[in-house]
Every structure is written in C-alpha cells, then in structure tokens.
Amino acid sequence: MTVWRDLLPFCEKCRGSRRPIVMVLGMHRSGTSLCSHVLSALGLDMTDHVSGPGLDTPGEDNPFGHWERWEIVEYHDRILRFFNRGLFSPGHDFAFPMAWWADPRVAEVQREITAFLEGRMGIDYFGFRDPRTVRLMPMWHQIINELKLAPKIIFCLRNPAQVARSLNQRDGFSLDTGEYRWFSYTADFFRYTQSAEFCTIEYESWFEDPALNLAKLRNFLDMPEDLSELDLDFAVAQLVRHDLRHDDPRIGEARQSLIRSVYKLARLADHDTAARGEAQKISAQFVTFQRLHAWLHREFEQAAAGAAELRVQEQVATEAEEMAGLREALATAERRAQGAEAVPEIRAELTRLSDALARAQQEVWERTELIETMRAETLFLGQERVAIIASMEAESSGCATLWREANASCSNAKWPRWGYRMMSRRCARRSSAPNRRPMSVPPISPGWRPNSAGYVKR
C-alpha cells in the first residue's frame, strides 16, 4: 500500500506555501476516532500513540484506539480547567468569558502548542483529532496564522439523538444534556469556521456506504488517484466493524425541534451555501442567547461551588466518623490481642507483686516492733537518768553544807593542812564514782591565803 510520505510530487506543492494541517472536529461520539483511524490508514500522520494516556492497549469505549494527539488533548483540557469548563464539569456547556484567548494562562499554553507543532510537523500532511477543538478555535486561528498553516477541516457528524444515547451509556449524561451538548458544539463549529472550507463525514455513512466517505476524503485532501482502490477498500473494511456500531433503531430524531433543524442544515452545509448560512445565523443567535443568561451562569457557579463545598464537608464528616469507628475497632482488637497474648505475663507479674507486698508488710511489722522496743528502752533510761541527777544534786548539797561548816569553824584559826587535803580527796572520790557529777573544792574563804604550810590568816 502506498503511504503518504511516498507521495513526493503531491507534497512538492506544499513546500513553498502554507503547510497543511488536518483537523478532525465534531461532537464526541460522532465517529472522530474512526475517521482519524481511516486517515492514518490512508497514510496521514494522525497520532503517535493509539491507546489512551497511561494505557498499553485501547479501552473498551474505543477498541481500535482513540487515535488522538494526547499532548494536544492535555493542552486543551488545561485551558478548559482555567475557566471551569472541564469536559465532565457541569459548566462545560456555558459560554466562555469575553476575550478568553487573551488570558495570560491561555497565552502560555498557546506558546506550548506552537512549540510542539514546530518540533513535530514536517512537510507531509500532519493532523490531529479532538472534539474539544471546536470550543477553542479562536486560539487555533492565532496558532495557524503564526505558523502559516493551511487547515483542512473534517467535520464528523452524527444523529444528535444517537450521540445523546451514547453519552448516556458511557458517561452517564442525561439525554437532554447530551442533545444540548451536541447543539452547543455544532453551533461553535459554524460560528468559528465562517468561510473556511470543510468536509462533512457522517457517521452513519461508514456503515451504509463507506465508499462515499472515502471518496469525499480523497477529493477533499487532493489525494492522487494512483492509490490502490483494492488496498483502500480492504483497509476500510477492516476498520468499519458493524458489530461495534451501537445505534438504537428505536431512537429516530432528537426531541427538540431546533436541534432537529440544525442537524438537517449541518448535513448540507459543506456543499449548500444557503444551508450553511442558515446554520451560521442560528449559531449567532445562540451566542446572543448565551450572553443574555450570563447572570444565570454566575448564579449556577455560586450554587455549584456551595454544593461542592457542602459535599466536601459531608464527605469529610463521613470519613471522620468512619476513621473514628476504625480506630475504635482497631483499639478493641489490639486490646483483645494483647490480653490474649499477655495472660501468662500478667499472672507472673501479679505473683511477683504479691510476694513483694508480703515482704514489705513483714518489714513493716519488724520495724514496728523495733520502734516499740527502742521507745521502752528510752523511757527506762530517762527514768534512770532522773534518779541519778537527783542523787547527785543531793550529794552536792551535802558537800556544800560541809564546806560551809568547815569555813565557819576555821574563820579565826589556821586551816590545818591535813584537813584541806582530806576534804579534797573526799570530794575527788565522790566525783570519780560511776554516774556521779564531778565536784570541785569549794573556794577558800576570803580571809585566808595559801602558803607552804597550808593556809594562814591574811
């Protein structure tokens, strides 16, 4: 099979002019992945990683892969989050703020996208698919002008009723929400494409008449005729699987008449100027209506913020209760486990403490007896001391009387030497007796003085 990089004559006409970039646009669940896969089979550079981010194989919602540029998808999601317009946010379908593309945060992401394209694009056809792009086209117009690109826009279209049903099954959106989102994306597409050339590829045609879509793509992209029809038919037959089509035949058209009218116009817009003009008129009126209910958007955001805060508080309270219950259950389990494991240790400890208590009580009893004994001995010694002191005081009183008598009898005579010595010895004997208070010789009378023979009268 001939691949696109081999078509050098075709690409020569792009070298001196704007480089082409294929942009697969349209509402989610409208066959954008299938269209990107077919374009890759035709030789266009549409993706670097077939599976989703962080996945090694495609998911259940797209068994053959999403065929997206995941770097560009991430850039788009960052911008949507700046304005609370995330894909799964309740505010996704509201209008963007005025001149949102001039926001410094958006300008930074725009520079990153520009750098990515400059490093990734070559001279061959380069493309990407992401339904979010229709909401961010004002920024992409600036990127296209800066890099001097020639956009080749492919508009994937599907019955809005079936889109709503598919979104309901995959993402849980209500049918009304799904139809409104289809209308919002379609209105943005016609609002921002204006006079740009585009090609409409209907999802249902891939299963009813795939050759029609294949011919439209080849003509729109000016692909040379020397590509093998057999190879293309075989490739498309392998990609278009009827068992993967999940349309519900019981669902016919959208429930809202305005959405049904826009769908009919969109099917004709790529080749009917009047239908395209009518679709653009409805798109302009829809934008005016969005501006009118800006106040409703503000009220909605405030209510949504309050509800989100309340949900967070309730969740925190619930988690706190759950954590408290888990902690209590864990503590109970630990106590039971410790009790079961520590029974022998506890019994041994109780035995040790009982023995220590008995020993302490015995020591208390012994010390009490010792204290009583010491108290009795102290009382006895105190009584004995009192008796000894009384006896000593009586003897001292007797000695004092004796000295006074001796002094009185010898006041006019010479004090015999032997008499004083005898008295001194007697007092000394009494002083040296056990338990006796020492006694001193009474002082000499003032009328006497000592000499070598004894005491003489002064």
Side-chain angles (χ1 to χ4, degrees):
M1 176 180 176
T2 305
V3 295
W4 197 262
R5 63 178 60 91
D6 296 330
L7 306 178
L8 294 180
F10 167 76
C11 297
E12 285 295 332
K13 65 181 181 181
C14 302
R15 294 181 185 272
S17 59
R18 290 176 174 264
R19 289 178 295 175
I21 180 170
V22 177
M23 306 173 69
V24 180
L25 310 180
M27 176 58 190
H28 300 273
R29 313 305 293 170
S30 296
T32 54
S33 297
L34 175 58
C35 184
S36 179
H37 196 177
V38 171
L39 291 174
S40 296
L42 295 178
L44 276 70
D45 184 4
M46 295 298 298
T47 186
D48 296 318
H49 189 63
V50 176
S51 303
L55 300 178
D56 296 329
T57 58
E60 295 181 358
D61 54 339
N62 284 78
F64 285 104
H66 292 268
W67 294 89
E68 288 183 309
R69 302 271 182 198
W70 296 110
E71 298 85 354
I72 294 179
V73 172
E74 175 58 26
Y75 292 141
H76 290 170
D77 282 335
R78 285 170 56 188
I79 297 174
L80 293 175
R81 288 193 295 267
F82 291 156
F83 305 104
N84 193 26
R85 300 297 190 278
L87 183 62
F88 298 99
S89 169
H92 180 73
D93 299 304
F94 285 106
F96 276 80
M98 294 294 292
W100 59 267
W101 54 87
D103 189 293
R105 298 171 298 176
V106 177
E108 175 62 26
V109 177
Q110 178 180 329
R111 287 190 290 270
E112 294 181 25
I113 296 175
T114 301
F116 170 76
L117 293 177
E118 285 182 328
R120 185 63 184 78
M121 291 182 65
I123 60 173
D124 297 340
Y125 259 123
F126 175 91
F128 70 94
R129 81 99 185 172
D130 184 17
R132 303 165 182 80
T133 311
V134 297
R135 307 221 64 195
L136 306 175
M137 284 302 292
M139 178 194 69
W140 274 99
H141 288 320
Q142 297 177 359
I143 296 174
I144 290 170
N145 291 332
E146 181 178 354
L147 296 180
K148 296 180 173 56
L149 302 178
K152 305 290 287 186
I153 300 174
I154 299 175
F155 180 44
C156 293
L157 184 63
R158 187 181 184 184
N159 185 338
Q162 297 296 341
V163 170
R165 180 205 53 79
S166 181
L167 289 174
N168 176 263
Q169 290 184 351
R170 189 188 71 169
D171 303 322
F173 293 154
S174 66
L175 297 178
D176 290 333
T177 300
E179 290 188 3
Y180 182 86
R181 182 162 294 189
W182 179 95
F183 178 76
S184 176
Y185 270 60
T186 305
D188 282 341
F189 176 81
F190 285 105
R191 174 187 179 189
Y192 293 127
T193 55
Q194 295 298 323
S195 58
E197 186 180 6
F198 68 90
C199 172
T200 300
I201 299 296
E202 296 192 47
Y203 175 79
E204 291 79 8
S205 296
W206 286 116
F207 304 95
E208 298 170 359
D209 188 5
L212 175 62
N213 282 345
L214 190 59
K216 294 180 68 173
L217 288 175
R218 295 182 62 181
N219 293 333
F220 180 69
L221 297 176
D222 295 328
M223 297 177 65
E225 296 294 337
D226 58 352
L227 292 177
S228 173
E229 294 288 346
L230 181 61
D231 289 341
L232 291 178
D233 292 340
F234 180 77
V236 172
Q238 293 297 317
L239 300 180
V240 179
R241 296 275 300 275
H242 289 268
D243 58 323
L244 297 178
R245 183 183 182 183
H246 303 296
D247 285 350
D248 189 345
R250 296 171 298 178
I251 300 177
E253 296 180 329
R255 290 179 288 183
Q256 299 295 328
S257 59
L258 177 61
I259 296 178
R260 293 196 298 268
S261 299
V262 172
Y263 177 53
K264 293 177 181 179
L265 294 173
R267 299 182 65 183
L268 305 173
D270 63 341
H271 59 275
D272 188 334
T273 305
R276 182 173 183 174
E278 189 65 25
Q280 291 175 346
K281 185 184 299 184
I282 295 175
S283 174
Q285 294 174 349
F286 176 66
V287 172
T288 303
F289 174 75
Q290 285 182 316
R291 300 304 180 196
L292 287 177
H293 67 238
W295 64 271
L296 179 62
H297 179 208
R298 290 191 296 269
E299 294 289 338
F300 175 81
E301 286 190 336
Q302 293 177 0
E309 183 178 358
L310 181 60
R311 285 195 298 271
V312 170
Q313 294 177 355
E314 292 177 350
Q315 183 177 1
V316 170
T318 303
E319 291 178 353
E321 293 178 358
E322 292 178 354
M323 289 296 295
L326 290 174
R327 290 193 185 99
E328 182 62 26
L330 180 60
T332 302
E334 290 179 349
R335 287 195 297 269
R336 291 178 178 175
Q338 292 175 357
E341 295 175 357
V343 166
E345 298 179 0
I346 292 175
R347 290 178 178 173
E349 183 67 15
L350 289 175
T351 303
R352 186 184 65 80
L353 292 176
S354 299
D355 295 341
L357 181 60
R359 289 194 299 270
Q361 188 173 1
Q362 182 66 29
E363 291 179 0
V364 169
W365 289 341
E366 293 176 356
R367 290 182 182 181
T368 301
E369 292 178 356
L370 179 61
I371 290 172
E372 293 296 333
T373 302
M374 293 177 65
R375 185 177 298 169
E377 292 178 354
T378 302
L379 180 60
F380 174 77
L381 292 175
Q383 293 174 353
E384 185 179 3
R385 180 176 178 275
V386 170
I388 293 172
I389 292 173
S391 176
M392 291 176 64
E393 288 179 349
E395 291 181 3
S396 297
S397 177
C399 289
T401 303
L402 182 61
W403 278 105
R404 283 194 300 271
E405 292 176 354
N407 242 351
S409 63
C410 298
S411 58
N412 295 319
K414 181 180 179 181
W415 179 264
R417 182 176 180 181
W418 59 268
Y420 181 80
R421 290 178 179 175
M422 182 179 64
M423 182 63 67
S424 299
R425 289 171 184 170
R426 184 180 177 182
C427 291
R429 284 196 301 270
R430 291 187 177 184
S431 299
S432 62
N435 299 326
R436 301 285 182 168
R437 185 174 62 182
M439 298 179 62
S440 60
V441 178
I444 301 176
S445 176
W448 295 84
R449 64 179 179 81
N451 61 9
S452 61
Y455 284 83
V456 294
K457 188 73 172 179
R458 288 182 183 277

